[in-house]
Amino acid sequence: MALLLFPLQVNGHSSGSETPGKASLGEDLQEFLGQEAPLHQLDDLTKVNPVTLKTVLRCLQARYMADIFYTNAGCTLVALNPFKPIPQLYSPELMQEYHAAPQPQKLKPHIFTVGEQTYRNVKSLTEPVNQSIVVSGESGAGKTWTSRSLMKFYAMMAASSASCENHKIAERIEQRILNSNPIMEAFGNACTLRNNNSSRFGKFIQLQLNRAQQMTGAAVQTYLLEKTRVACQASNERNFHIFYQICKGATKDERLQWHLPEGAAFSWLPNPERTLEEDCFEVTREAMVHLGIDTPTQNNIFKVRRKDCSDEGCLLKEDSPLSDSVRTTALLLQLPEDILLETLQIRTIRAGRQQQVFRKPCSRAECDTRRDCLAKLIYARLFDWVVSVINSSICADSDSWTAFIGLLDVYGFESFPDNSLEQLCINYANEKLQQHFVAHYLRAQQEEYTIEGLEWSFVNYQDNQTCLDLIEGSPISICSLINEECRLNRPSSAAQLQTRIESALAGRPCLGHNKFSQEPSFVVVHFAGPVRYHTAGLVEKNKDPVPPELTGLLQESQDPLLMMLFPANPKEKTQEELTGQSRAPALTVVSKFKASLDQLLQVLHSTTPHYIRCIKPNSQSQPQTFLQEEVLSQLEACGLVETIHISAAGFPIRVSHQNFVERYKLLRRLHPHSFSGCHSLYLAKGPSEWPLYTQEAALQPLLQDILHTLPALIRIAATPNDPAEATQVPLYCGRTKVFMTDSMLELLECGRAQVLEQCALCIQCSWRRHRLRKQERQRRAAMLIQAAIRSWLTRKHIRRLHVAATVIKRAWHKWRIRMAFLASKELDDVEEKPRPQAPGSQSFSLPPAQRGLLGAIIHLWPLGLVLANSAVGVQGFQRKLVVHACLRLPSGSPSNIIQTPQQHQAGVTSIRAVPQGSIKFHCRKSPLQYADICPESSSSGVTGLNQILLERHRPTHV
């Protein structure tokens, strides 16, 4: 056995197994209990600190006042009865939310969480393991409503998960399962002191699933119907609901048919003035139609029910005439009136070896007993027939389903002022269920620790084995003594039975005696508290005698339903004969109930159980009323505090070595190299110490490497503000399993997530590096391709431009040469021609002054053009030559002769030709053909002939 203790701090509060000082504990407890606000936020009672009755009680009260009615308590769900309708808490939308949730346990606690968990347990396993839900609690705590809501949830789940071809089958199953509830509640529930809709029978419902985990059907098994309620009801209680439904819901025609007068009162139907929600006759009839019970059969059922209420006819004296009640009863049962009256009033006795028959008149008390027996016999057979009809309607073939989810709804623990055999059987069943819970969870968990070799201080839980030994133990117990009194077949008084029980079972710790009681009784200390049982009538109820003449009377009935319930020649044995394994006198009520209860427990032991504890906040059924004393007694009775203690202080997480290594072997990456001496620091020392992992030697190195990583995990999880005294978080390595707490599991999961994150980060980095390198290579390749393409396109464009420029240049040069040639030709070949005078025009002469001015303008215009368009660098001698040429100065005049240097003589030749003779001055258009055409615009704006005259190479200014 290996024990690891590591320091860990959770939210700054110490939650270890070591108990702090009393002063600090008191201060912390006072501070915690003073904070009412956060109490309703605790979804699990194992999170309260410390786990005591007081803290659990305050947490439940805070959640109840905040309209939060479901709370987890380890493996158990605590359900508080709200005593008010809350439609949104059980709506189809909420059912679908829990059914579709990836992790329903992370949602708020609810009965739908338990339902979905059972379904997924069946669905997720390779070999499906049957599941069961045990709903327990006191009468009126809400067990029936919880079972009804779970059945609605499973029905909805079956319809939603079915395929298209199976959708109609799923809808049929869903409707029939839901319709079975109102019928069974009408025939098996009644109003008691503690509950308006108390189940007076136990039922175990099997929801059958096929290999595809689809619901194919269901089956109902009932236990111990309280048929004595038909003829006897306690004060302020009522009979079964079906009787009141008939009286309040029958039509006029049905009242005539069933001989039910308006406003009739019956002694077997007390408190008819009370109106309950369950008194709805139409709901029951509609459900019966859906289950295949037709209208004629319904009329026969209700007619027989009507007879059960008629009890006055059997009280007649021998010499009294037939009353209306006897006549009505005989008419409803379709029996002769005289035979009915004779059977009820005369007892048939068979004695001797020859079985001689003797007829003995009955007393009035015996007539009443035979009347009650007849009514109980008919009701019990009819109830079993209704259950068989329901099963035939909803049950699937045995070959069509492989697993089931069981739903157990039994009567709660009962303690009334007058308790008899019914209460003894009911409380006995609750004791067995409590032991099943203790054996499955509390005891099995601690015994597993012992088998695995764990040194752990056990929680002292309440074991009810001593009480069960008192009730059913061997060789002497209460049940054996009562059955023995029945087998002796002798008159037994209540005082004699009390004396025998007290003397035979003296010294038993769970047997008590009420010294102040004036009636014979005995006290049994149950797990839920002491209950006093009256011995009067106990033996007779246990015998449950059915006179054979009553059975023979009913076999002679002509009613179709009674002929079905009581066949004249039964080929099969009755239920009583099938249940018993000994002679007929030994088939008592207690024996039959014990056999059926043992069979039920065998089924529960073969399944994976889930528990729902229903708590009744107050006995007045008032909403928003939380009585701490009543709730406290229920918490102590159901062992809820012990459950929370073991869940909190124990190790709810148990993993085999193989699974532990497979899941957490990644943690070795955090501590790749083991170091010597570390393992010895965490080994627990004690007399029960075993070698580590002797049965799995191959896993020992891996386990040691994983365990060596835990200190590193704790250092990572610790914060700098941790106090010096840290919490001890244990992890036990047993012989075959590893035990750990929720906090240690969270620590391991965090470490595993960290390793996976590192691995994911490494993979992501490698992938990003690969992707970036690939993108860089692609980018470079794209750049090379783009550069090559751009180079090729540029070269192609330049070649096209070069070719175009060459063509333009050649055409330009060709055009310039041609223009120059044409201009030269025009200037050289032009001759002065007289202008023709227009006809009709008259010549006129100008004055001499005007003629001289006009002649000067014509003579000097070339000089103005030359001076205006001459280059900037044309100065000195060139300008003088131009002026000399334009003014036609005499070249022979000494004053005007200018010696021209050799280097400037070339400038005179730029004037292409000196005008010969008269020159025509044109302002609008040049007489030359190509004078106005130029490929480029001139900045000076001179065109035509003037452009030709001035075109030359301008010298560069130095």
Side-chain angles (χ1 to χ4, degrees), residues 770-906:
H770 167 73
R771 187 178 61 181
L772 291 177
R773 288 178 178 177
K774 183 178 179 180
Q775 290 178 354
E776 182 64 21
R777 292 194 297 268
Q778 292 177 351
R779 189 181 65 85
R780 291 180 179 178
M783 290 176 60
L784 292 176
I785 294 174
Q786 291 174 1
I789 292 177
R790 290 193 185 100
S791 176
W792 178 78
L793 292 176
T794 303
R795 289 194 300 269
K796 183 178 179 182
H797 182 63
I798 290 175
R799 284 196 298 269
R800 292 181 62 185
L801 293 178
H802 181 71
V803 171
T806 302
V807 172
I808 295 173
K809 183 178 179 180
R810 290 176 180 175
W812 169 254
H813 286 296
K814 182 179 179 181
W815 184 83
R816 286 188 62 183
I817 294 172
R818 185 179 179 184
M819 292 299 102
F821 172 75
L822 294 177
S824 174
K825 184 178 180 180
E826 287 180 357
L827 291 177
D828 293 341
D829 297 341
V830 69
E831 293 180 358
E832 183 71 22
K833 295 180 181 181
R835 296 180 60 183
Q837 189 173 359
S841 62
Q842 297 180 2
S843 62
F844 59 91
S845 60
L846 296 174
Q850 294 183 358
R851 284 199 303 270
L853 179 57
L854 180 61
I857 292 172
I858 295 173
H859 184 73
L860 296 177
W861 74 268
L863 178 61
L865 290 176
V866 171
L867 294 178
N869 291 281
S870 61
V872 179
V874 180
Q875 296 177 356
F877 183 71
Q878 285 184 347
R879 185 178 294 271
K880 292 179 180 179
L881 289 178
V882 171
V883 172
H884 177 75
C886 293
L887 296 179
R888 295 182 182 180
L889 297 176
S891 59
S893 175
S895 58
N896 295 330
I897 296 176
I898 304 174
Q899 299 293 332
T900 304
Q902 185 68 27
Q903 62 270 21
H904 294 293
Q905 300 227 350

Side-chain angles (χ1 to χ4, degrees), residues 679-720:
H679 188 265
S680 60
L681 296 176
Y682 306 104
L683 287 177
K685 297 181 179 180
S688 59
E689 183 177 355
W690 290 281
L692 187 62
Y693 326 119
T694 56
Q695 297 182 358
E696 301 178 4
L699 298 177
Q700 182 177 358
L702 299 176
L703 282 171
Q704 289 181 356
D705 291 343
I706 295 173
L707 297 179
H708 290 156
T709 61
L710 295 181
L713 290 177
I714 294 177
R715 286 195 299 268
I716 295 174
T719 58

Side-chain angles (χ1 to χ4, degrees), residues 51-77:
V51 181
T52 61
L53 275 175
K54 190 174 183 180
T55 56
V56 169
L57 193 64
R58 292 175 65 88
C59 181
L60 290 176
Q61 183 176 7
R63 293 176 64 83
Y64 183 76
M65 301 309 293
D67 285 345
I68 305 175
F69 308 107
Y70 295 105
T71 309
N72 291 325
C75 67
T76 307
L77 178 67

